[in-house]
Amino acid sequence: QVQLVESGGGLVQAGGSLRLSCVASGSIFSLNAMGWYRQAPGAQRDVVATITNGGSTNYAESVKGRFTISRDNAKNTVYLQMNSLRPEDTAVYYCNADVRPSPSTRYFSTYWGQGTQVTVSS
């Protein structure tokens, strides 16, 4: 069993900053890619940023230059630093991770957190 728990969401004014954290725990032998996604009301869930276990990153065009994804492999944690927030960034933010649960398991499975609400007021 693997759990992902996000924290750090909240209400912020436009132009402000928030830092999201997501900790993975449970049966984890190794973590591969981790990422942040978001879903606004009535919209589909879209990728925000991803990071490999080697530190390579990718960002959605809408957040490039404003958001930074990072990870601490020793803590099984991924972060999302969000600066210059805009009202259109308002959404529930979810983290996910590709987890190999044990050395006897050859494959990775993708797990999701429950989400944390980010609201940006104008």
Side-chain angles (χ1 to χ4, degrees), residues 33-38 46-71 78-81 96:
M34 303 182 78
W36 288 96
Y37 292 69
R38 67 186 180 187
D46 291 325
V47 62
V48 176
T50 61
I51 185 168
T52 68
N53 57 5
S56 296
T57 59
N58 278 291
Y59 295 92
E61 284 295 324
S62 60
V63 306
K64 281 183 178 178
R66 300 188 297 123
F67 292 9
T68 302
I69 189 171
S70 60
R71 64 190 285 171
V78 63
Y79 305 96
L80 186 68
Q81 177 66 44
N96 80 349

Side-chain angles (χ1 to χ4, degrees), residues 7-119:
S7 61
L11 173 64
V12 64
Q13 288 189 333
S17 298
L18 285 173
R19 188 190 194 210
L20 306 182
S21 300
C22 173
V23 181
S25 63
S27 180
I28 299 172
F29 175 68
S30 66
L31 283 172
N32 199 0
M34 303 182 78
W36 288 96
Y37 292 69
R38 67 186 180 187
Q39 187 168 20
Q44 66 182 17
R45 188 175 299 185
D46 291 325
V47 62
V48 176
T50 61
I51 185 168
T52 68
N53 57 5
S56 296
T57 59
N58 278 291
Y59 295 92
E61 284 295 324
S62 60
V63 306
K64 281 183 178 178
R66 300 188 297 123
F67 292 9
T68 302
I69 189 171
S70 60
R71 64 190 285 171
D72 185 332
N73 290 331
K75 296 181 179 179
N76 290 340
T77 300
V78 63
Y79 305 96
L80 186 68
Q81 177 66 44
M82 305 185 294
N83 299 327
S84 302
L85 282 160
R86 304 167 180 169
E88 54 264 38
D89 294 318
T90 295
V92 178
Y93 283 70
Y94 299 89
C95 73
N96 80 349
D98 293 334
V99 179
R100 183 180 173 190
S102 71
S104 62
T105 305
R106 297 183 178 182
Y107 56 85
F108 287 82
S109 297
T110 300
Y111 293 86
W112 291 87
Q114 292 299 306
T116 184
Q117 177 70 47
V118 171
T119 303

